[in-house]
Amino acid sequence: MITHHAENNRFEYQEDGVVAYLEYTLNDSIWTATHTIVPPQLSGKGIGKQLAKAAIEWAEQRHYAICAECSFVQNYLNKKQNS
């Protein structure tokens, strides 16, 4: 399950004590994904995609402009636009 920790500007997924996360900044009405980290133990499970989806949906619901400094999130957005 993805958890939003607004106080830390990040979305997290935790499994067996291992944490994957997506960090962001929020400046006025601009939401920026800064980086996504998925440890090797959690790799290949689609967790990065789940983090990106949850975070972007959260930002869209609040009508923030979305910016991606993180290449993973940028690739996710590109695939989303092309589908």
Side-chain angles (χ1 to χ4, degrees):
M1 175 164 95
I2 305 298
T3 306
H4 182 206
H5 295 279
E7 69 280 4
N8 296 327
N9 289 352
R10 65 194 254 170
F11 286 80
E12 294 183 359
Y13 173 89
Q14 186 171 338
E15 183 178 306
D16 298 328
V18 180
V19 178
Y21 61 90
L22 182 153
E23 289 188 334
Y24 66 90
T25 60
L26 190 55
N27 188 2
D28 295 321
S29 63
I30 301 172
W31 178 89
T32 303
T34 55
H35 62 279
T36 304
I37 302 294
V38 177
Q41 303 94 309
L42 300 177
S43 183
K45 298 182 177 185
I47 294 167
K49 183 178 177 180
Q50 292 175 45
L51 287 165
K53 182 178 188 290
I56 291 165
E57 285 177 354
W58 179 86
E60 288 175 339
Q61 289 169 357
R62 286 152 184 80
H63 306 286
Y64 292 129
I66 295 174
C67 178
E69 290 178 358
C70 168
S71 60
F72 183 88
V73 174
Q74 184 60 57
N75 288 336
Y76 177 85
L77 288 169
N78 287 343
K79 288 177 184 176
K80 182 180 172 187
Q81 290 173 350
N82 292 328
S83 61

